[in-house]
Amino acid sequence: MNGNKRARLDYDRTASEGWTKTNGVSKPQLTRACAECKKHKIKCFVQPGQTACNKCLRSGIHCVPHNFAQKFIDDDAAQAQTTTTLDQLKAAVEHLLHINNLSELSKYDGAQPLLRTLSEASSVRTVSPSTPNHSSNSVAAGHFVSEGPSANHQEDDSDLVPLPMNNLYSLTDPGNSRLIRVDPADINGPDFISRGVVPVAEAEFLFDHFRDRINPLLWDGILCSHKSLSEARQSSSMLVATVLTVAALHIPNREQSLHATYDAFVALMRGSCLLHSQNLDDIRGLCIGAFYLTSLSWALCSRAVRVATEMNLHKSSLQFARGSFESFERVRLWYVLYVCDHQFALAYGRPPLMHEDAAIRNADKLLTSGLSSKGDRMLVAQVKLFRILAGAYFMYGCDADLELGGQDFEMLQSFNLSVDQWRLEHQTKDVDLSRDSLTPFKGTTLYYHLARFQLNSVSLRGISARRASQKTSGPDMNWDRQEAANSAITAATSTVRLIVEDGDLRKALVGMPIFTHAMIAVCASFLLKMAVVFGELDTRNDNTLHLPADLAKYGLNFHTRTALTNVESLVSSLTSVADNASQRHVARQVVTGLKELLQRFSPSPESGDFVYSRSSEMESSVLAVTALNRNLPAGSEKDAIVQRDSSGYNPSYPDTLTNQANEGTQFASLDQPQDPFDLMGDLDWRFNDSFLWGIDAEVPYI
């Protein structure tokens, strides 16, 4: 037994020296692989008397044998490096907490509050060109960073031809060019609910109302997918402020909450205008605000488009086409922006910011990914409709005095055919939406009539009241103009009757975006203007017009009594709608304006027809315009305003709605500044009849 143990010891010793004896002959010994052999995954042989293995000798490289002691040394070094790194991170976190006046690190027990605090603190630092880009969906609530070179821009840079602004930032110190500084901590700090601006219970009630009643009307809720207020607060303070403001606007007797949430939203909006946003929910909040907040609609829409392009949403469709389904939400939001932009470009008579590109032309591809919903189908339908209307806008321009010619009417027919095809394609019989939503059938019908009115009303450009009332030569109503004008009259009448007769549509109307209310109001105003634009002045009373019973002699299918009856029914229907909303809701303004206008119509005691009496403020308006003409230089901006009033009838571009509100008194107070963040702004629906008496813009200047 002792001899056997001795033999094993001898074998171990000889093996450790790298050789063995077989019948007295030394042979190479297979050892634990050195570093080189381990790298190539081959057996490692060491010849007797050598310190290097055969592979290393042939390669002429240094042989590093296996050493258990080195493994422990390396592990100790790695552990020491980890400890050093943790100490450095702890010091960095404590520094960030200190400079942002936050609690000490020891007071944070959970990981999530600490991570959220670190995210807020890190937003204070200016983003450098080398900062890596993070996903916009994972950014902390209301995450805004200082203006400067952004990571999104760096991704688009070319080494040979860099982006001009990024090239400028690389050559200069961007910190010296920021003249206006905004502390992101003011935007990214505790939200307004935490500060007690709105009680939590009230905020919960408003959020639930928006989620259940209003959100389904925005393409089945694709703009706010959050199911609870706490979830939305973790994502975006901007979105929460917008949602609560819009909800309070649609509930009676919530004026106190409305003003509180509106002020909070305006504060966030003002502070964020000079900062970069990195959150898709911020864009969604801006879109919702544009759809419902009258005085801020244009500003919010343009701001949302700018933020979206900074986040490269315009390139998401290319990524989506290559199979990146992660870009689905970004592409969907880009289409929402397109509809929002073109709605208000149409309502204000201004060129849209977004133009037709490959993404807009191929909007149907959004529905082929398997991720789309019924809300996406309605969204794509509106993208295609406003693409048609945008083509008409760029075809005919925005000059209210430019009459259409023969070729223009031919193109108008092609646009009408496109709208008819759009209706046939998208008017399905689906009725599976919630009770507070519009079915695709009814929504498509309403937008069809509004689009037909918008297209065909341009046919009446240049038909001023003075030329229409001339006895010697009436307006040039050729056959093409008559056909288009009759289409506009039919579309406006159909819009009014649809609201009056469809109870479901009327019930949902209170929560529909202000674009819908604007177009319904302009259709009603159009019908009333048609009733008076061809009237004749009373020889005994310069303030009265005798209205014809119909316009058959001009080739128009218009009856004054029918038009007045339809508008009266609309006012009655809208009154019940407005009773279910705040005092600030736009439906109340529409009702007020149309009621005041209807009061000026009365039956004629002599002929049995109707007469129209102009407003009492008309004379003061004319005097104010004359006084301005005498004190303004030719070609000034105010001269342009007067010329627009004297140009006559302009039914097709509702930007005049903004100025029709108080033009009688507006001229006397042009120098008074207006608060751009006033809730109602200057948008009203009262009727200005100055065009009927033709204010002369050619009064000589003195």
Side-chain angles (χ1 to χ4, degrees):
M1 184 176 296
N2 292 337
N4 291 337
K5 290 184 178 179
R6 174 67 62 180
R8 291 182 61 184
L9 290 172
D10 291 342
Y11 177 82
D12 291 342
R13 179 180 61 81
T14 56
S16 65
E17 293 176 359
W19 55 274
T20 60
K21 288 185 178 181
T22 304
N23 297 328
V25 180
S26 299
K27 294 183 178 181
Q29 173 64 40
L30 179 64
T31 67
R32 186 69 177 267
C34 67
E36 184 68 15
C37 294
K38 188 176 181 180
K39 175 181 178 181
H40 291 85
K41 298 181 179 179
I42 61 176
K43 294 181 179 180
C44 184
F45 291 96
V46 179
Q47 294 292 342
Q50 297 291 337
T51 59
C53 68
N54 295 344
K55 172 69 171 61
C56 293
L57 287 174
R58 289 194 303 269
S59 302
I61 61 176
H62 178 65
C63 184
V64 181
H66 178 76
N67 189 347
F68 281 102
Q70 184 63 38
K71 179 178 182 299
F72 296 114
I73 295 174
D74 294 340
D75 291 344
D76 291 341
Q79 184 176 1
Q81 181 63 32
T82 301
T83 303
T84 302
T85 303
L86 289 175
D87 291 339
Q88 292 174 344
L89 290 175
K90 181 178 179 181
V93 170
E94 290 177 344
H95 176 68
L96 288 174
L97 296 176
H98 175 71
I99 64 176
N100 288 280
N101 297 322
L102 299 174
S103 302
E104 297 179 358
L105 182 61
S106 59
K107 295 183 178 180
Y108 293 90
D109 297 330
Q112 291 302 323
L114 176 58
L115 291 176
R116 187 177 301 114
T117 303
L118 291 178
S119 178
E120 294 174 356
S122 62
S123 65
V124 180
R125 310 264 55 90
T126 302
V127 176
S128 64
S130 60
T131 302
N133 185 30
H134 299 283
S135 172
S136 59
N137 292 325
S138 61
V139 183
H143 193 164
F144 296 91
V145 295
S146 302
E147 286 280 10
S150 76
N152 290 333
H153 293 166
Q154 292 297 316
E155 291 180 350
D156 300 331
D157 251 347
S158 167
D159 292 336
L160 181 61
V161 185
L163 295 176
M165 285 305 297
N166 285 345
N167 184 67
L168 176 64
Y169 283 129
S170 66
L171 297 176
T172 61
D173 180 11
N176 293 330
S177 62
R178 294 196 303 272
L179 301 180
I180 303 177
R181 298 180 181 271
V182 175
D183 188 356
D186 295 338
I187 310 300
N188 300 327
D191 64 5
F192 62 95
I193 299 177
S194 300
R195 298 195 305 268
V197 175
V198 179
V200 176
E202 178 70 4
E204 292 279 2
F205 172 79
L206 295 176
F207 183 87
D208 292 344
H209 181 87
F210 179 88
R211 180 195 59 202
D212 299 334
R213 298 297 183 89
I214 303 174
N215 201 35
L217 297 174
L218 295 174
W219 305 290
D220 203 28
I222 65 176
L223 273 183
C224 184
S225 59
H226 302 294
K227 302 302 181 184
S228 64
L229 176 63
S230 59
E231 181 182 341
R233 291 175 66 184
Q234 293 177 4
S235 177
S236 171
S237 297
M238 180 76 73
L239 176 65
V240 173
T242 311
V243 165
L244 300 189
T245 301
V246 172
L249 187 63
H250 290 78
I251 304 176
N253 304 319
R254 276 296 193 284
E255 272 66 33
Q256 183 176 359
S257 297
L258 173 60
H259 288 288
T261 56
Y262 183 82
D263 291 342
F265 170 74
V266 169
L268 285 171
M269 178 65 184
R270 280 172 166 162
S272 67
C273 284
L274 297 177
L275 300 175
H276 285 298
S277 174
Q278 297 181 345
N279 195 332
L280 291 181
D281 270 346
D282 291 335
I283 303 178
R284 296 185 180 101
L286 293 172
C287 290
I288 294 173
F291 283 130
Y292 291 102
L293 303 180
T294 307
S295 61
L296 295 180
S297 57
W298 184 260
L300 295 178
C301 178
S302 58
R303 170 66 178 164
V305 173
R306 175 197 164 190
V307 174
T309 53
E310 287 178 350
M311 295 177 62
N312 286 326
L313 261 65
H314 58 293
K315 297 185 177 181
S316 299
S317 61
L318 300 176
Q319 302 170 1
F320 185 72
R322 299 188 187 106
S324 175
F325 289 162
E326 292 81 3
S327 304
F328 178 82
E329 286 291 337
R330 300 167 68 89
V331 176
R332 169 196 276 175
L333 188 53
W334 186 249
Y335 290 152
V336 170
L337 286 167
Y338 182 85
V339 173
C340 181
D341 177 35
H342 282 71
Q343 280 190 359
F344 292 106
L346 189 69
Y348 287 106
R350 299 166 183 169
L353 301 176
M354 300 172 62
H355 299 283
E356 181 179 323
D357 57 8
I360 302 304
R361 291 192 296 270
N362 300 295
D364 283 328
K365 291 185 177 180
L366 186 72
L367 308 179
T368 62
S369 63
L371 302 176
S372 61
S373 63
K374 52 193 174 186
D376 294 309
R377 293 195 294 272
M378 292 185 285
L379 173 61
V380 170
Q382 289 200 17
V383 169
K384 296 165 72 173
L385 177 62
F386 283 102
R387 180 186 170 196
I388 298 172
L389 296 179
Y393 173 84
F394 288 112
M395 172 65 66
Y396 302 117
C398 58
D399 187 355
D401 296 329
L402 185 61
E403 296 185 22
L404 271 61
Q407 189 174 2
D408 295 327
F409 287 107
E410 294 178 3
M411 290 300 302
L412 186 60
Q413 286 299 323
S414 67
F415 286 121
N416 280 310
L417 288 175
S418 298
V419 173
D420 290 338
Q421 293 173 355
W422 173 86
R423 183 183 186 182
L424 292 175
E425 179 182 358
H426 296 284
Q427 185 164 298
T428 61
K429 299 294 183 178
D430 296 337
V431 292
D432 57 345
L433 297 181
S434 63
R435 60 185 179 87
D436 293 316
S437 300
L438 285 178
T439 64
F441 177 83
K442 295 178 180 179
T444 301
T445 302
L446 175 61
Y447 273 84
Y448 168 77
H449 292 316
L450 296 179
R452 290 272 298 181
F453 168 76
Q454 179 65 27
L455 283 174
N456 292 283
S457 60
V458 299
S459 62
L460 292 171
R461 285 182 178 177
I463 306 300
S464 68
R466 285 180 294 174
R467 288 197 298 165
S469 60
Q470 290 175 355
K471 296 181 180 180
T472 55
S473 61
D476 181 17
M477 297 297 293
N478 56 46
W479 188 88
D480 289 331
R481 191 185 301 275
Q482 291 176 15
E483 183 182 29
N486 282 325
S487 296
I489 294 171
T490 301
T493 304
S494 298
T495 299
V496 172
R497 292 182 63 87
L498 183 63
I499 300 299
V500 173
E501 297 175 0
D502 195 308
D504 293 335
L505 185 61
R506 189 168 59 253
K507 182 179 180 180
L509 185 62
V510 67
M512 297 180 69
I514 56 177
F515 169 78
T516 308
H517 294 271
M519 294 304 296
I520 293 173
V522 79
C523 285
S525 298
F526 168 78
L527 293 176
L528 296 180
K529 287 181 179 181
M530 288 296 296
V532 298
V533 73
F534 294 95
E536 297 181 357
L537 282 173
D538 190 340
T539 56
R540 296 169 297 179
N541 187 353
D542 293 340
N543 290 330
T544 303
L545 283 176
H546 285 279
L547 309 182
D550 57 56
L551 301 179
K553 69 176 182 179
Y554 300 108
L556 301 179
N557 299 325
F558 182 87
H559 299 271
T560 301
R561 184 180 298 276
T562 302
L564 292 176
T565 301
N566 287 332
V567 175
E568 288 175 351
S569 300
L570 176 66
V571 170
S572 177
S573 299
L574 292 181
T575 300
S576 61
V577 171
D579 290 339
N580 295 321
S582 167
Q583 294 292 330
R584 297 284 189 171
H585 195 277
V586 68
R588 295 185 181 272
Q589 312 305 316
V590 174
V591 170
T592 300
L594 292 179
K595 279 184 176 180
E596 292 180 357
L597 181 55
L598 285 172
Q599 291 175 356
R600 305 181 194 175
F601 292 86
S602 59
S604 173
E606 300 175 356
S607 61
D609 295 330
F610 289 89
V611 295
Y612 175 83
S613 301
R614 67 178 177 180
S615 60
S616 58
E617 295 86 358
M618 186 61 210
E619 294 181 1
S620 61
S621 174
V622 174
L623 294 177
V625 172
T626 305
L628 280 173
N629 283 337
R630 292 177 178 176
N631 293 281
L632 294 178
S636 67
E637 180 180 359
K638 295 173 184 176
D639 176 38
I641 296 177
V642 176
Q643 289 180 2
R644 183 196 60 207
D645 286 342
S646 65
S647 64
Y649 178 46
N650 176 20
S652 58
Y653 287 95
D655 65 322
T656 55
L657 289 173
T658 302
N659 299 303
Q660 283 173 358
N662 298 307
E663 281 182 343
T665 58
Q666 188 179 29
F667 294 112
S669 59
L670 285 172
D671 295 332
Q672 296 180 4
Q674 293 183 350
D675 182 6
F677 295 97
D678 175 54
L679 181 60
M680 288 309 302
D682 57 359
L683 184 58
D684 206 343
W685 307 102
R686 289 170 176 79
F687 183 79
N688 176 27
D689 54 7
S690 60
F691 76 96
L692 296 174
W693 276 262
I695 299 175
D696 192 359
E698 299 178 356
V699 177
Y701 299 106
I702 299 177

